[in-house]
Amino acid sequence: MCRTGSAVSLRRVRIHPSPRLLPLVLVVLGLLAPGPRALRAETEGPVDAHVTTPTLGPPHDHPPVEADPDLTLAETIRLALERDPGLVGVEARQVEGRALERASRRWLAGAPALYGGAVSDSPVGSDIGYRQWDAGLELPLWWPGQRSPRRDVARAAKDAAAHAVRVQALEVAGQVRAAVAGLALARRRLELARGDREAEARLAERVERAVELGELAGREALLARTSVLERELAELEALEELRHAEASWVVLTGIERSPGEWGETLRSDARLEDHPALLLARDDQAQAEANAARLERSGWGHPTVSVGSQHGRDTRPEKYIHRVVAGLSVPIGRADPVSTGAIDARRAATDARRDAMRLERELRANLLHSEHRLDLAGQRLDATASQARLAADYLARTERGFVLGEVDLPTLVAARGRARAATLSHHEAVLMHRFLIAETNQALGVVP
C-alpha cells in the first residue's frame, strides 16, 4: 500500500539471502551509521528533499553572538562592569568616604558662631545714659581623643569604598563566567544536535534507497524517518537554548561578541583572607566600631573658646571705652548615651562584627564546595571519556553486525542514541570542568 504525497513506499518485501546481494549490501549499507565522525557532523554527499530540514538561523532582529579570538575574559568583565547597576552603590560609598575624610580634617569640633549684644539705659530717642555693645566669635574645640575616632571612621569608609569596587567587579565576573560557560554549552549542544540531525538524514537516505532496491522492509524507512524528525526537534530545542543564552549575554555585557578563549587556570596562590567581600565586611565592621567610639566620646560635649570686643560708656560726656574680651565655656558632665545614639551605634558595630564572622564562614564553605565539585568534575571527565569511547566502539561493532544481517535497524538506532548521549555527556563534562575551575577562582575572590 502507498500513501499519497509520501516519498516512502511502504510495502512488504521478502529478503532472500543470496551471495550475489552481499556486495550490494556492503556498498549501500556500509555507510548507514556514521560513527563518531558523523556525530561531529562531518557529512558528505547530497541529501534528498524529503529528509532535509530548512537551515535554522537566527532571527533578523537578533544577530548571533560570535566568538572573538581577540576579546579576552578580563576585557569582557570590564565592559559588563561599566553597565552594571551596582556601581550606583559603589559611587555612594565613595561620596561618603570623601565626605568623612574632609570632616576628619576639621580643626574645630563644630561650626564657629558669631555672637553680639547691646545694653543701654537711655530713653528711647535720646543719647544720654549708659551704653554698651559687644561682638565676638565662638570656636568649639575638641577634647583630647575626640578626633581619632573620626579619622578611623574616615579611613575605614575610604577602604570600604575601594573594596566595594572589587566586590562589584567580582560579582560581575561571576555573572560573566556563568554566562560564557552557558553560551559555550549551548553552542556545543547545537553543534552536536545539528551533526546528529545530518547524520540521521544521511542514514534515512540510505535506508530509503535500500527499500527501493528491495533489500529492506518499508518499516525500516519509517523508523529512520522518525529518527530524523526526533533529531530535528532536538536541534530546534538546542537552537532555542542558544538564542536565550545569547540574549542573556547581550543584556549582561552589552556586546554581541564573546571571548574566544574563556578557560582559566586555578589560582593556587590566592588566599581566602584576601577575598574582597570579606575585606569589605571587615571595613564595615571597623567603620561601625569607630563610629560607636566617636559617639561615646562626643557625649562629653565640646569646650568653646570665645574671642571678641566690648565697647561702652557710662554717661554721655564720656568717651567710649574699648576692650578685648575672651572666654572659655566648658561643659560639665556627660550626655545620656541614648540621646547621643552611642547605644545604637555600639549595637550596629556588634551586628557588623557578627555579619563579618558569618560571611567568613560562608565563604570558607563555598570554597570547600567548589574544590570538592572541581575534584568530582575531574573524575566525571575521565569517566565520560571512557564512556564515550566504549559507546563509539559498541556502535562500530553494531554497524558491522547490521551490515552482516546480525543486528536489526532498531538495535542500530538505539546504539546510535547511546553513542550520541555519551558524546554529549563528555562534551558537557569538559565544559563543566572548565567552568568549575573558574568557579573555584570565584570562590577565592579572583577577578580575571
Side-chain angles (χ1 to χ4, degrees):
M1 58 181 297
C2 298
R3 178 175 298 176
T4 305
S6 174
V8 180
S9 177
L10 303 179
R11 52 193 177 89
R12 293 185 175 275
V13 179
R14 185 180 301 276
I15 302 177
H16 300 278
S18 173
R20 294 181 301 173
L21 296 179
L22 184 58
L24 180 61
V25 172
L26 293 176
V27 173
V28 176
L29 301 182
L31 300 175
L32 281 177
R37 293 179 59 87
L39 290 176
R40 294 192 298 266
E42 299 178 11
T43 58
E44 297 179 359
V47 181
D48 292 343
H50 55 276
V51 294
T52 60
T53 57
T55 302
L56 300 176
H60 296 292
D61 58 345
H62 183 203
V65 176
E66 301 291 343
D68 186 357
D70 298 328
L71 181 63
T72 62
L73 182 61
E75 178 67 13
T76 305
I77 294 174
R78 186 188 66 80
L79 295 174
L81 181 61
E82 291 178 352
R83 55 188 280 115
D84 187 72
L87 289 180
V88 176
V90 174
E91 293 174 357
R93 282 184 174 271
Q94 293 173 342
V95 172
E96 178 190 12
R98 290 192 294 266
L100 291 174
E101 186 178 10
R102 288 193 300 267
S104 67
R105 294 198 301 263
R106 293 175 56 181
W107 288 98
L108 298 177
L114 294 174
Y115 72 91
V119 179
S120 176
D121 60 0
S122 303
V124 177
S126 65
D127 192 24
I128 61 175
Y130 173 80
R131 283 191 174 186
Q132 177 182 319
W133 60 275
D134 53 85
L137 179 65
E138 294 181 345
L139 303 175
L141 303 179
W142 299 104
W143 282 116
Q146 281 188 331
R147 291 187 62 189
S148 57
R150 289 177 175 267
R151 289 192 294 265
D152 294 339
V153 170
R155 187 182 305 109
K158 184 179 180 180
D159 294 341
H163 291 143
V165 176
R166 295 181 55 193
V167 169
Q168 200 61 37
L170 180 63
E171 180 179 343
V172 173
Q175 296 173 356
V176 172
R177 281 164 165 159
V180 72
L183 191 61
L185 180 59
R187 286 173 177 165
R188 186 60 55 86
R189 285 176 175 173
L190 178 60
E191 177 186 350
L192 294 177
R194 186 164 292 165
D196 293 340
R197 189 259 301 168
E198 294 174 353
E200 294 300 323
R202 197 166 59 249
L203 171 63
E205 177 188 3
R206 270 102 176 144
V207 169
E208 290 175 356
R209 290 178 182 174
V211 170
E212 293 175 357
L213 294 175
E215 304 300 330
L216 289 177
R219 64 177 181 274
E220 309 294 348
L222 182 60
L223 177 60
R225 177 59 178 163
T226 302
S227 181
V228 173
L229 293 176
E230 291 176 353
R231 293 302 93 208
E232 290 176 1
L233 293 176
E235 184 181 358
L236 286 173
E237 293 177 358
L239 179 62
E240 181 182 7
E241 179 184 355
L242 177 59
R243 292 296 172 258
H244 289 332
E246 290 176 340
S248 300
W249 175 264
V250 174
V251 170
L252 175 64
T253 63
I255 57 177
E256 296 179 353
R257 298 172 296 143
S258 64
E261 177 57 43
W262 55 274
E264 303 179 38
T265 57
L266 187 61
R267 287 286 301 274
S268 58
D269 59 332
R271 302 186 310 162
L272 188 64
E273 289 74 13
D274 298 330
H275 197 288
L278 185 58
L279 296 177
L280 177 59
R282 289 174 177 171
D283 290 336
D284 289 338
Q285 175 188 346
Q287 183 177 352
E289 292 177 348
N291 187 55
R294 177 186 68 83
L295 292 176
E296 290 171 353
R297 297 185 183 183
S298 67
W300 292 103
H302 303 285
T304 303
V305 172
S306 59
V307 180
S309 62
Q310 190 178 78
H311 313 272
R313 71 178 185 181
D314 290 335
T315 60
R316 179 180 178 181
E318 296 182 2
K319 296 180 179 180
Y320 279 94
I321 299 175
H322 305 285
R323 305 179 183 91
V324 175
V325 296
L328 176 63
S329 174
V330 179
I332 299 177
R334 185 177 182 180
D336 185 5
V338 176
S339 61
T340 60
I343 292 181
D344 293 338
R346 181 55 61 185
R347 184 178 62 183
T350 304
D351 292 342
R353 180 185 179 188
R354 177 202 61 198
D355 294 342
M357 295 173 65
R358 286 179 176 177
L359 178 62
E360 182 177 6
R361 183 174 62 181
E362 181 181 351
L363 292 177
R364 291 191 182 278
N366 290 340
L367 178 59
L368 289 175
H369 293 166
S370 297
E371 290 175 345
H372 293 164
R373 292 181 63 191
L374 179 59
D375 181 61
L376 293 177
Q379 300 179 27
R380 181 173 181 265
L381 182 61
D382 296 337
T384 55
S386 300
Q387 184 185 28
R389 287 193 297 268
L390 291 175
D393 183 58
Y394 178 78
L395 176 60
R397 295 173 183 269
T398 305
E399 291 172 350
R400 288 195 295 270
F402 180 76
V403 170
L404 297 175
E406 300 173 354
V407 177
D408 57 2
L409 184 59
T411 303
L412 175 61
V413 171
R416 291 166 65 90
R418 283 193 294 269
R420 182 185 305 114
T423 301
L424 179 59
S425 297
H426 178 60
H427 284 280
E428 290 180 349
V430 172
L431 295 176
M432 181 58 68
H433 185 264
R434 296 177 63 185
F435 171 69
L436 288 177
I437 292 177
E439 185 184 69
T440 304
N441 287 337
Q442 180 79 15
L444 287 169
V446 177
V447 178

